């Protein structure tokens, strides 16, 4: 089922939670809504489900405007962060609930409901636990029951609200792989909400990065990681370092020093340089590079991270150096970022109220360093 | 108690006790509490039964089968049988609205539900006297249709409903707020109608808390004195409930009979207490709303 969200706006007591959000999701896609808390991702998911109604805009299920349909009429499978299993029903009764409450003309016979529940529990690898109650299951098992229950009604779309948020790290990784498998087996159009970028990047076909009620960027994991289109996305996805710079005659400058990074034809102005700490090249001697004094150094898994103090502005950036690099305190290190991007500040200044939202509307010039 | 038992098996010398009060202090505090309970609760309860049975069991039985007393017992049961189910419905409706929906004036509604707790029952009774009395607008109008409210059963029922209204709602509101709306949303998303959701999901989730609230409501409905005393008119055999009957018999120096009726109320209290304890013991987490499955 294709989904189309068209200029949807949602206000709670005149406080906007979503600003004119548009998004197209094609049939069978696995989409992640990724953002910090308060970014509107859960609101968007609940709007799709019909658990909230939009202040303006429309949501289309295929060719049909579903905006004014009730949650019952939308046939969505919704999985809640805290499972929301019915505690007084057994696992099998929970899974069969959606079939049992159908009007009598559409309701399958009891034996059929039982058979279907058993089939779904087999799919989520919980066969044999039909007679258990939710409180007798582990968190991971409960969430699988919740998914089986949502799948039982043969939903048009599957919506998951931070499905693994309440689980510990190991169970989460396991369930992530398993959800991918289920998705491939059933082919449902699936939208899930998460604040965990690793989860989003690993699991989703496309990631929708959200911030302050707006969509910042939509793209594959590679696209949002390698080509972030706003300072927010750069900062939110993966590690990044930012350095205030000045653009002058197509060259980047810190206060007193040319960085050796050029933007031919770019207008002059104040800007911020973004790059990934691991995507840098250390250089000896410095004619046209970024150089700084080591302020701190720490071991991170297989690499060493150093914090450099750059120039007179006391700006700090983080870069990765090989483990055997002798990055002693106060020593100087020079480097060049391999891939980088520059965002002008005037876009930011133009909108003091919500810097992130406006940033990508400012002039963006992005070049990959040669 | 459990703690002490488990510590007894351990070598006491090396570990400092987690409780810092000395045994003497503990014994003094516990016996003070026990003495207080014995003096103010257990002793009066014993006195009720001793006085009731002072003239022997036969006298006790004949006091309870005396026609006016029988009619008081009947009236009490009737009033409870009307007031409790109505308050069950009102209480569930109010708690449901407050816990599951956002609307203007919610805080005001909560205050209103608490009102009967904060107003003296005598005043609650007087309100109905003013509302339905001879000098009011409603009273004579209803009377012209042959409906007597004041000094009749309807008045007693109204006053009892008013006084016992908060019990079910107060019990359910925190429970339902704690349970949130997740289960209901899940049921709706699975296609259940509003009524199916209420019947199959909401109601089972609150059943023990509801039973608990009904028990307390019932105990109060049967034992209510102040408000009922004002509106009943004390017509023997007609508008006397058990608590009123106790008072009348006592004022007539008929102590044995008075205490016999009182002992029935005391038994009701003990029964309620027993059921309440069983509920708390077995379904404590469902009642306190602490259960997070």
């Amino acid at each position: 089922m294709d989904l189309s969200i068209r200029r949807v706006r949602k206000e709670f007591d005149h406080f906007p939670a979503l600003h004119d959000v548009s998004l197209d999701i094609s049939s069978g896609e696995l989409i992640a809504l990724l953002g910090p808390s308060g970014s509107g991702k859960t609101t968007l998911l609940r709007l799709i489900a019909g658990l909230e109604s939009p202040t303006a805009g429309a949501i289309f299920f295929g060719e049909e405007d579903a905006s004014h349909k009730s949650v019952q009429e939308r046939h969505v499978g919704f999985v809640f962060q805290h499972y929301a299993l019915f505690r007084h029903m057994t696992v099998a009764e929970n899974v069969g609930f959606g079939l049992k409450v159908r009007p009598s003309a559409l309701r399958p016979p009891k034996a059929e409901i039982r058979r279907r529940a058993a089939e779904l529990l087999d799919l989520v690898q919980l066969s044999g636990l039909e007679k258990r109650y939710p409180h007798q299951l582990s968190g991971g098992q409960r969430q699988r029951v919740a998914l089986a229950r949502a799948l039982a009604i043969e939903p048009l779309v599957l919506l998951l609200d931070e499905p693994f948020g309440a689980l510990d790290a190991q169970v989460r990784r396991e369930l992530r792989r398993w959800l991918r498998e289920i998705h491939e087996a059933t082919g449902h159009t699936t939208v899930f909400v998460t604040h965990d970028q690793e989860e989003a990047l690993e699991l989703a076909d496309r990631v929708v990065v959200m911030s302050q009620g707006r969509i910042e960027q939509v793209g594959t994991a590679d696209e949002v990681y390698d080509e972030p289109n706003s300072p927010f996305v750069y900062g939110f996805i993966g590690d990044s370092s930012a350095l205030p710079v000045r653009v002058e005659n197509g060259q980047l400058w810190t206060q007193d020093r040319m960085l050796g990074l050029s933007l031919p034809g770019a207008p002059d102005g104040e800007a911020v340089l973004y790059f990934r700490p691991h995507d840098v090249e250390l250089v000896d001697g410095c004619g046209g590079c970024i150089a700084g004094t080591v302020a701190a150094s720490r071991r991170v898994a297989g690499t060493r991270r150093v914090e450099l103090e750059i120039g007179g502005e006391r700006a700090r950036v983080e870069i990765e150096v090989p483990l055997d690099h002798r990055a002693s305190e106060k020593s100087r290190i020079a480097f060049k970022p391999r891939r980088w991007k520059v965002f002008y500040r005037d876009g930011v200044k133009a909108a003091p109220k919500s810097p992130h939202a406006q940033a990508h509307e400012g002039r963006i010039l992005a070049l990959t360093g040669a | 108690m459990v703690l002490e038992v488990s510590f007894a098996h351990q070598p006491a010398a090396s570990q400092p006790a987690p409780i810092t009060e000395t045994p003497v202090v503990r014994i003094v505090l516990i016996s003070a509490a026990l003495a207080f309970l014995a003096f103010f609760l257990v002793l009066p309860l014993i006195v009720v039964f001793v006085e009731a049975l002072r003239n022997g069991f036969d006298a006790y039985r004949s006091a309870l089968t005396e026609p006016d007393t029988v009619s008081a017992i009947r009236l009490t049961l009737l009033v409870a049988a009307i007031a409790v189910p109505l308050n069950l419905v009102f209480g569930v409706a109010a708690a449901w609205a407050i816990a599951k929906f956002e609307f203007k004036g919610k805080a005001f509604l909560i205050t209103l539900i608490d009102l009967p707790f904060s107003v003296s029952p005598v005043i609650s009774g007087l309100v109905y006297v003013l509302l339905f009395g001879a000098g009011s607008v409603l009273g004579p109008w209803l009377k012209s249709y042959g409906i007597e409210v004041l000094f009749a059963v309807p008045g007693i029922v109204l006053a009892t409903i008013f006084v016992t209204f908060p019990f079910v709602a107060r019990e359910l509101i925190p429970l339902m707020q704690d349970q949130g709306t997740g289960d209901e949303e899940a049921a709706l998303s699975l296609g259940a109608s509003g009524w199916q959701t209420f019947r199959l999901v909401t109601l089972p989730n609150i059943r023990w808390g509801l039973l608990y609230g009904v028990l307390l409501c019932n105990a109060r409905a049967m034992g209510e004195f102040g408000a009922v005393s004002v509106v009943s008119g004390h017509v023997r055999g007609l508008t006397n409930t058990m608590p009123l009957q106790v008072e009348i018999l006592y004022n007539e120096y008929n102590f044995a009979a008075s205490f016999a009726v009182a002992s029935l109320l005391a038994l009701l209290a003990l029964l309620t207490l027993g059921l309440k304890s069983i509920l708390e013991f077995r379904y404590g987490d469902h009642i306190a709303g602490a259960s997070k499955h």
Side-chain angles (χ1 to χ4, degrees):
Chain A
M1 174 64 60
D2 289 342
L3 276 180
S4 176
I5 293 139
R6 303 187 185 167
R7 298 188 62 81
V8 162
R9 182 174 179 77
K10 176 66 183 172
E11 289 172 5
F12 292 108
D13 291 331
H14 303 293
F15 176 81
L18 280 179
H19 306 266
D20 298 329
V21 164
S22 295
L23 178 67
D24 285 312
I25 298 169
S26 27
S27 195
E29 250 188 325
L30 181 54
I31 293 280
L33 302 180
L34 173 66
S37 49
S39 59
K41 53 191 192 305
T42 295
T43 304
L44 181 55
L45 192 78
R46 291 172 62 86
L47 281 167
I48 297 173
L51 291 170
E52 308 278 355
S53 55
T55 310
I59 292 167
F60 280 75
F61 279 41
E63 294 303 308
E64 200 180 356
D65 186 355
S67 311
H68 299 288
K69 279 189 171 181
S70 70
V71 55
Q72 291 101 328
E73 293 164 336
R74 291 196 196 188
H75 293 288
V76 294
F78 202 101
V79 176
F80 296 81
Q81 180 177 4
H82 296 290
Y83 329 121
L85 293 180
F86 308 129
R87 64 201 85 179
H88 58 282
M89 296 183 200
T90 63
V91 165
E93 285 166 346
N94 262 284
V95 175
F97 183 85
L99 301 173
K100 192 182 130 189
V101 296
R102 283 188 185 169
S104 53
L106 299 170
R107 184 168 46 221
K110 270 194 181 145
E112 168 66 17
I113 294 179
R114 254 203 311 279
R115 195 190 60 74
R116 182 100 181 96
E119 201 177 280
L120 281 159
L121 285 172
D122 190 43
L123 177 74
V124 300
Q125 297 158 12
L126 287 178
S127 295
L129 299 185
E130 285 88 346
K131 295 219 161 60
R132 296 270 188 95
Y133 283 89
H135 67 89
Q136 296 168 311
L137 304 179
S138 71
Q141 289 173 326
R142 287 178 201 177
Q143 198 54 297
R144 285 191 268 171
V145 173
L147 187 75
R149 184 178 69 176
L151 289 171
I153 60 167
E154 287 158 28
L156 300 175
V157 285
L158 191 57
L159 307 169
L160 304 102
D161 184 11
E162 304 237 10
F164 313 133
L167 303 169
D168 59 58
Q170 187 159 3
V171 180
R172 238 147 111 157
R173 268 196 295 278
E174 216 171 275
L175 282 189
R176 219 186 274 166
R177 195 175 330 122
W178 168 85
L179 178 64
R180 182 84 231 181
E181 282 166 20
I182 297 258
H183 174 76
E184 268 151 26
T186 61
H188 282 105
T189 309
T190 305
V191 183
F192 73 99
V193 158
T194 180
H195 61 260
D196 180 349
Q197 48 167 303
E198 200 186 313
E199 195 167 290
L201 295 178
E202 186 182 321
L203 199 52
D205 296 325
R206 281 195 302 154
V207 178
V208 178
V209 187
M210 299 186 66
S211 164
Q212 305 203 350
R214 288 187 168 83
I215 292 179
E216 291 280 340
Q217 187 169 6
V218 183
T220 63
D222 285 344
E223 282 163 6
V224 294
Y225 191 86
D226 292 333
E227 296 296 330
N229 66 1
S230 72
F232 173 80
V233 179
Y234 231 122
F236 188 69
I237 304 223
D239 292 327
S240 68
S241 282
L243 181 68
V245 293
R246 196 171 72 246
V247 184
E248 230 175 80
N249 299 326
Q251 288 290 326
L252 294 191
W253 292 75
T254 54
Q255 219 159 42
D256 48 356
R257 185 192 270 275
M258 201 162 85
L259 299 181
L261 305 173
S262 55
L263 282 171
D268 293 354
E270 296 289 318
V272 181
L273 169 73
Y274 282 90
F275 58 91
R276 302 278 183 207
H278 60 81
D279 215 3
V280 298
E281 188 180 2
L282 298 185
V283 292
D284 290 329
C286 194
C289 67
I290 307 172
T293 316
V294 177
S297 136
R298 59 198 163 87
R299 170 73 184 258
V300 180
T303 62
R304 191 181 298 284
R305 287 277 175 92
V306 296
E307 223 173 279
L308 296 180
E309 221 168 70
I310 309 285
E313 297 102 301
R314 313 203 129 260
R316 286 195 172 191
V317 299
E318 210 175 52
I319 62 166
E320 244 175 58
V321 298
L323 273 183
D324 53 7
H325 191 279
R326 272 179 287 148
S328 56
E329 207 134 314
K330 300 290 174 208
S331 69
R332 282 183 76 77
I333 293 182
F335 71 95
K336 271 181 125 167
R338 286 195 202 98
R339 290 151 75 88
W340 47 274
K341 245 180 178 186
V342 166
F343 295 97
Y344 280 90
R345 278 179 182 243
D346 53 356
V348 178
K349 275 183 190 158
K353 270 187 196 158
S354 64
H356 294 319
Q358 286 296 321
H360 68 281
E361 288 168 17
R363 283 168 294 159
I364 295 160
L365 280 165
L367 292 175
T368 310
Chain B
M1 278 308 176
V2 177
L3 265 180
E4 270 172 66
V5 171
S6 62
F7 274 112
H9 296 292
Q10 301 206 352
S14 60
Q15 290 194 345
I19 303 169
T20 50
E21 280 81 9
T22 62
V24 178
V25 173
R26 268 184 276 166
I27 290 167
V28 166
L29 285 175
I30 292 170
S31 29
L34 286 180
F36 184 86
L37 283 176
F39 190 73
F40 282 96
L41 290 175
V42 181
L43 210 58
L45 206 57
I46 293 171
V47 167
V48 168
F49 286 100
V50 168
E51 286 294 324
L53 293 167
R54 175 170 293 252
N55 298 342
F57 192 75
D58 285 337
Y60 180 74
R61 203 169 51 192
S62 65
L64 290 183
T65 47
E66 197 263 326
D68 285 352
T69 302
V70 169
S71 102
I73 294 171
R74 258 207 209 116
L75 181 59
T76 299
L77 291 176
L78 174 72
V79 168
I82 299 171
V84 174
L86 283 177
N87 272 341
L88 187 150
V89 175
F90 294 155
V92 170
W96 192 59
I98 285 168
K100 309 281 179 183
F101 298 97
E102 289 302 324
F103 54 90
K104 283 206 176 101
K106 190 159 146 176
F108 182 65
L109 183 56
I110 295 174
T111 315
L112 222 54
I113 288 171
D114 277 342
L115 189 70
F117 273 167
S118 50
V119 172
S120 160
V122 177
I123 298 180
S124 317
L126 275 175
V127 169
Y128 286 100
V129 171
L130 292 175
L131 212 58
F132 296 106
S136 71
V137 180
L138 272 176
W141 182 72
L142 283 171
K143 202 168 188 165
S144 67
Y145 289 95
I147 302 169
E148 292 272 7
V149 176
L150 219 52
F151 311 131
V153 176
I156 298 172
V157 171
L158 280 177
T160 306
I161 289 175
F162 181 84
V163 172
T164 58
F165 179 72
F167 286 95
V168 172
R170 288 305 307 176
E171 180 56 37
L172 292 183
I173 289 169
L175 176 64
M176 290 172 96
Q177 276 176 335
D178 189 73
Q179 287 176 347
T181 51
D183 285 13
E184 281 79 11
E185 285 180 345
L188 293 175
S189 78
L190 291 166
S193 67
W195 172 240
Q196 281 176 320
T197 302
F198 179 76
R199 194 166 51 88
L200 299 172
V201 176
T202 310
L203 210 52
N205 275 348
I206 60 168
R207 58 190 159 178
W208 299 117
L210 184 61
L211 185 56
Y212 187 88
V214 164
L215 266 179
L216 295 182
C217 181
N218 181 57
R220 182 67 191 269
M222 290 190 173
E224 174 54 28
F225 178 81
V228 171
S229 172
V230 175
V231 295
S232 99
H234 304 268
V235 183
R236 279 196 166 218
L238 281 180
T239 64
N240 261 353
T241 61
M242 283 163 75
L244 301 184
Q245 184 72 3
V246 172
E247 192 207 19
I248 288 176
L249 291 170
Y250 187 84
N251 286 345
E252 290 169 348
Y253 303 104
N254 195 348
F255 296 135
S258 166
F259 278 106
V261 181
S263 73
L264 283 186
L265 284 172
L267 274 178
L268 169 74
L270 287 176
L271 189 70
T272 306
L273 205 68
L275 285 173
K276 182 172 157 288
S277 306
I278 292 171
L279 274 181
E280 276 172 359
F281 178 72
R282 276 213 60 189
Y283 306 103
D285 49 348
H286 295 276
I287 292 167
S291 107
K292 291 263 196 289
H293 66 134

